[in-house]
Amino acid sequence: MQKTLLLLCSLIVLAVSFNVTPVVIAVSSYNGHWEDHNNVGQYGMDQMMLDMKSKGNQVTVEVSNDYFIPFEDSRESFKSSVGRIRSSVVNGTVVFNSKGQASFKYKNEYNNGQMSIQMQNDGVKITWTGKEVSEFSFPQGTFKLYKKINVGAAEMKKLGTFLSNFTELNLDEFDAKRVNNAELIRFGVWHNYINNFNSRISTSNGKLFISKTHVETSIQKYFNTQFRNHRSVNGFGFNGKGYIFDGADGMPVYYVRAQDVFDLGQNKLRVRGVLYDADSPSTEMVSEVEAVVKKVKVQNNISYALVTLKVKR
């Protein structure tokens, strides 16, 4: 009995490991652009990029790191690109082995070290080991990058429309891991107020009303979450059947124009784009937008669920 339990536990551990550990793989083509970045402060960015191009068995590789922090971390400096900028590049030519692994040595006035590359089923992992001689040296460490993909004009527009459902409510930051019931209720109500007023909102004694079913439907559609935790929250009174609230108009409406998409694996996409004024779509962008969405299947159609959202206003 103990041996059986031990074997079962071992199988469970192995199954979990296989599910969460990216596999090192060889790929049919090493052409493409991979990227990842971290926010620095409110408006800065630390960005890592990998570009590869195949020439027969050989692959030319260029890896760059760009760091930018605006003066005083302000929106004005961010828009004008005024601040501290640092950039470093290493490049070489490699031949990948049967496991999708390669490395090359690189030396110049700022760098002296080795770059290792591991292809994985959900991206690529790079490791730089070298001596830092100045602030322009390539940073040491291991970094996970994700491939930029071409989803086509139709899906790019669809992604922008999906994200616009959040920015039109002036939602600047969201994380599905930390969202609470009140935030979901507010979204469910205001989304319908803006987009489905005639079909889902009724009026009585100067107050507005929406049924809980419509709120649940919107939460399910945009967050892939079955919602049943109805209650009164600030500004929205719950009467058992739905929510009673006051309308609000006059706020500027901002939409998203998606520009770049990266494959994060496990049906997740990172989307980068710009925010623009719905009343003046041809004018200068308002700010940058980044989101992670998960592709979900709904009645044989592909839709999205929001995972994270960050708007730099």
Side-chain angles (χ1 to χ4, degrees), residues 115-162:
M115 178 67 72
S116 299
I117 306 170
Q118 293 185 345
M119 303 303 298
Q120 297 184 325
N121 59 356
D122 63 343
V124 60
K125 184 182 289 185
I126 62 171
T127 300
W128 172 254
T129 305
K131 183 178 180 181
E132 293 190 30
V133 297
S134 82
E135 64 175 1
F136 295 101
S137 298
F138 202 90
Q140 294 194 67
T142 297
F143 310 92
K144 182 66 175 287
L145 311 181
Y146 302 94
K147 189 170 187 178
K148 184 176 180 179
I149 58 175
N150 182 9
V151 299
E155 186 169 3
M156 193 73 82
K157 183 177 180 180
K158 185 178 178 182
L159 285 164
T161 300
F162 174 78

Side-chain angles (χ1 to χ4, degrees), residues 5-217:
L5 288 174
L6 181 60
L7 177 60
L8 180 60
C9 291
S10 299
L11 290 173
I12 292 173
V13 171
L14 285 173
V16 171
S17 300
F18 285 131
N19 283 334
V20 300
T21 303
V23 178
V24 177
I25 59 171
V27 297
S28 58
S29 172
Y30 291 96
N31 292 298
H33 175 87
W34 289 258
E35 186 177 316
D36 194 36
H37 62 269
N38 296 303
N39 292 324
V40 180
Q42 193 69 19
Y43 293 99
M45 181 180 295
D46 188 3
Q47 188 173 43
M48 193 75 66
M49 292 175 288
L50 165 67
D51 286 284
M52 296 198 295
K53 186 175 182 180
S54 299
K55 292 183 177 180
N57 292 329
Q58 294 187 325
V59 180
T60 58
V61 178
E62 181 176 280
V63 190
S64 60
N65 174 245
D66 294 317
Y67 176 95
F68 171 65
I69 180 71
F71 287 144
E72 299 180 351
D73 200 13
S74 68
R75 170 176 166 76
E76 291 73 20
S77 295
F78 163 73
K79 291 184 66 176
S80 58
S81 299
V82 177
R84 181 188 176 193
I85 300 175
R86 187 182 72 205
S87 181
S88 54
V89 178
V90 299
N91 53 61
T93 302
V94 301
V95 176
F96 282 86
N97 65 19
S98 60
K99 294 183 179 180
Q101 300 170 323
S103 64
F104 64 92
K105 292 183 178 180
Y106 182 82
K107 182 178 180 180
N108 65 2
E109 59 182 317
Y110 301 115
N111 303 283
N112 183 7
Q114 179 171 294
M115 178 67 72
S116 299
I117 306 170
Q118 293 185 345
M119 303 303 298
Q120 297 184 325
N121 59 356
D122 63 343
V124 60
K125 184 182 289 185
I126 62 171
T127 300
W128 172 254
T129 305
K131 183 178 180 181
E132 293 190 30
V133 297
S134 82
E135 64 175 1
F136 295 101
S137 298
F138 202 90
Q140 294 194 67
T142 297
F143 310 92
K144 182 66 175 287
L145 311 181
Y146 302 94
K147 189 170 187 178
K148 184 176 180 179
I149 58 175
N150 182 9
V151 299
E155 186 169 3
M156 193 73 82
K157 183 177 180 180
K158 185 178 178 182
L159 285 164
T161 300
F162 174 78
L163 294 176
S164 296
N165 283 281
F166 306 98
T167 59
E168 69 181 2
L169 303 182
N170 288 305
L171 181 63
D172 288 349
E173 195 163 352
F174 176 85
D175 188 338
K177 293 181 179 179
R178 296 196 293 266
V179 68
N180 57 49
N181 292 332
E183 291 171 321
L184 292 176
I185 291 169
R186 291 190 184 98
F187 174 86
V189 174
W190 284 125
H191 168 76
N192 285 289
Y193 176 77
I194 292 177
N195 296 282
N196 304 301
F197 186 88
N198 293 330
S199 60
R200 295 184 176 182
I201 307 295
S202 60
T203 306
S204 178
N205 298 321
K207 293 287 186 178
L208 301 177
F209 175 81
I210 182 172
S211 74
K212 65 179 183 180
T213 301
H214 291 322
V215 173
E216 292 170 3
T217 299

Side-chain angles (χ1 to χ4, degrees), residues 223-255:
F223 301 100
N224 195 34
T225 298
Q226 291 187 342
F227 187 81
R228 298 292 185 271
N229 300 315
H230 295 284
R231 60 184 178 87
S232 294
V233 298
N234 187 28
F236 306 96
F238 182 63
N239 66 1
K241 295 182 179 180
Y243 292 90
I244 301 169
F245 64 104
D246 294 313
D249 293 309
M251 296 290 291
V253 177
Y254 298 107
Y255 291 156

